[in-house]
């Protein structure tokens, strides 16, 4: 199907994008790789009046070290992140997760910034960022601010970004030595996770879940159990405590809870094996 | 809105609506109907073309997003009536039946081989996961791609 008509502007800089967002208010939408937004627009589930295309801002595609962090430009494509040597060395979880998204065509277009700003609980990078303790640099008409990943995902497809803000950079602590694991359960090639688990352990362990609620989220009950001395198996049994996973064609909530426990156990075992 | 790009090596410049999808630009404006449309959900890969040498689903990209790029479609592969080695391999190994998925499959395979010149069978299978085929069961497609690998 064909999207409804819209105006289209190519932003040459982040400042230009913010200006356009400020002028046009809620009817304006940023366009990065388009691999979440265009499918919605084709189904007419999104009908923005203006698309502000960030695609030409090449300076927003980078991976570099910044003190103890790895800094990733918001327009870095999944394929570039997956193949990046620095990312593979300093944040192997993030590079690995980027390489598990969709299929090669999707990874040639989709960007990390778009994936995070879309706020889809079924997406992989948001969960990875939660497990890594990432933070996001955003810029708007009121200036820049940094938002911790834990405060970013607010509701279904809803984030802490204001309508005039652009996600500029993602920072993750460098953790070459940490244990990590990403468990993505799918039934078909190319698909989103039915349930996914990302875990990072370096002293303490952070666990996050894909497709287990209305936002990407942490498995806090399992994390607390581990911190209190529980075994991987005991902690994994609590992975879905307090969560309300969705029901869809692929899985019932009960099945998702079961998957969350099994995958969390595998993730914790893999974390222990990596360290 | 004006869009300028090259398609199969030819410079093009056209006035298009921003909402025109790249696949419709190729098929309806340029008449390059080798690129197929197989779904409404960005899943089937029938519309795969190369943008600056990389496989992309042309149903999930606006024509205006291709500004300044080099686009290659299935029509651009053969030269002077001689099939591209991948096309020849698909024919030789019966990598197609109805042929609907084939243009996208061949373009995805050419992007895959550009990125991984010597893939294993498993890498070919994963590398083509963005392309659905309802006829062949994939086996002969994988055989064809492996046979086209440069020694
Ligand atoms: C067939 C298919 C399979 C897929 N499979 C998976 C999968 O397995 N796992 C997975 O995680 N994802 C999957 N995806 C989604 C894919 O990863 C998307 O590319 C990604 O979620 C969105 O990134 P984008 O650059 O394409 O964003 P866009 O679609 O351009 O934008 C998405 C949203 O973010 C906003 N936005 C974009 N950039 C910024 C920015 N810098 N600042 C603020 N707001 C911004 C846009 O306004 C829009 O609301 C799949 C997509 C397809 C089509
Ligand atoms: S037409 Fe199916 S992915 Fe493009
Ligand atoms: S040959 Fe018929 S869909 Fe692939």
């Amino acid at each position: 199907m064909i999207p409804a008509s819209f105006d289209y502007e190519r932003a040459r800089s982040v400042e230009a994008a913010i200006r356009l967002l400020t002028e046009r208010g809620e009817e304006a939408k940023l366009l990065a790789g388009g691999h979440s937004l265009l499918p919605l627009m084709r189904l007419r589930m999104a009908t923005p009046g203006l698309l502000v295309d960030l695609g030409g801002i090449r300076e927003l595609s980078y991976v570099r070290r910044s003190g103890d962090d790895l800094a990733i430009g918001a327009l870095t494509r999944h394929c570039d992140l997956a193949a990046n040597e620095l990312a593979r060395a300093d944040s192997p979880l993030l590079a690995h997760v980027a390489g598990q998204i969709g299929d090669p065509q999707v990874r040639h277009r989709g960007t990390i910034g778009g994936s995070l700003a879309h706020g889809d609980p079924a997406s992989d990078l948001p969960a990875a960022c939660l497990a890594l303790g990432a933070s996001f640099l955003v810029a708007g008409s009121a200036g820049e601010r940094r938002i911790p990943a834990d405060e970013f995902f607010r509701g279904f497809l809803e984030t802490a970004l204001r309508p005039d803000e652009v996600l500029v950079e993602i920072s993750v602590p460098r953790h070459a030595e940490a244990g990590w694991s990403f468990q993505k359960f799918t039934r078909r090639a190319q698909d989103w996770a039915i349930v996914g688990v990302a875990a990072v352990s370096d002293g303490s362990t952070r666990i996050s879940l894909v497709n287990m609620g209305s936002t990407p989220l942490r498995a806090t009950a399992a994390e607390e159990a581990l911190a209190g001395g529980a075994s991987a198996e005991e902690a994994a049994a609590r992975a879905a405590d307090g969560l309300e996973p969705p029901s869809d064609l692929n899985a019932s909530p009960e099945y998702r809870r079961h998957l969350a426990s099994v995958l969390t156990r595998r993730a914790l075992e893999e974390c222990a094996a990596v360290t | 809105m004006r869009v300028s790009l090259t398609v199969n090596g030819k410079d093009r410049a056209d006035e298009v609506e921003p909402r025109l999808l790249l696949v419709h630009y190729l098929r309806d404006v340029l008449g390059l109907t080798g690129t197929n449309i197989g779904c409404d959900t960005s899943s089937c890969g029938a519309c795969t073309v190369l943008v600056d040498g990389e496989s992309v689903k042309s149903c999930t990209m606006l024509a205006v997003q291709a500004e300044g790029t080099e686009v290659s479609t299935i029509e651009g592969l053969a030269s002077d009536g001689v099939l591209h080695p991948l096309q020849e391999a698909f024919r030789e190994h019966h990598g197609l039946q109805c042929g609907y998925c084939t243009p996208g499959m061949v373009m995805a395979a050419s992007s895959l081989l550009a990125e991984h010149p010597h893939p294993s069978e498993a890498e070919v299978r994963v590398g083509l996961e963005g392309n659905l085929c309802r006829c062949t069961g994939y086996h002969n497609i994988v055989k064809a791609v492996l046979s086209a690998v440069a020694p």
Side-chain angles (χ1 to χ4, degrees), chain A residues 21 28-39 51 54 60 74-75 78 100-103 106-107 109-120 122-126 161 165-168 184 186 190-193, chain B residues 41-43 57 60 65:
Chain A
L21 290 178
K29 268 267 175 208
L30 297 172
L31 176 69
H35 269 53
S36 290
L37 187 53
L38 292 176
L51 282 191
L54 301 174
L60 275 191
L75 276 155
H78 306 326
Q100 298 297 304
I101 294 172
D103 54 48
V106 171
R107 297 194 291 272
R109 296 293 302 164
T111 68
I112 185 169
S115 181
L116 295 168
H118 194 54
D120 186 340
S123 286
D124 300 319
L125 286 169
L161 283 170
E165 281 180 330
V166 180
L167 175 53
V168 177
K184 179 171 178 174
T186 56
Q190 179 204 108
D191 231 345
W192 272 266
Chain B
T41 49
S42 310
S43 350
K57 292 174 179 173
T60 312
Q65 285 180 291

Side-chain angles (χ1 to χ4, degrees), chain A residues 42 190, chain B residues 23 36-48 56-60 100 130 132:
Chain A
R42 291 177 63 197
Q190 179 204 108
Chain B
V23 69
N36 288 333
I37 302 175
C39 73
D40 252 335
T41 49
S42 310
S43 350
C44 75
C47 62
T48 301
V56 160
K57 292 174 179 173
S58 61
C59 71
T60 312
Y100 201 83
L132 303 182

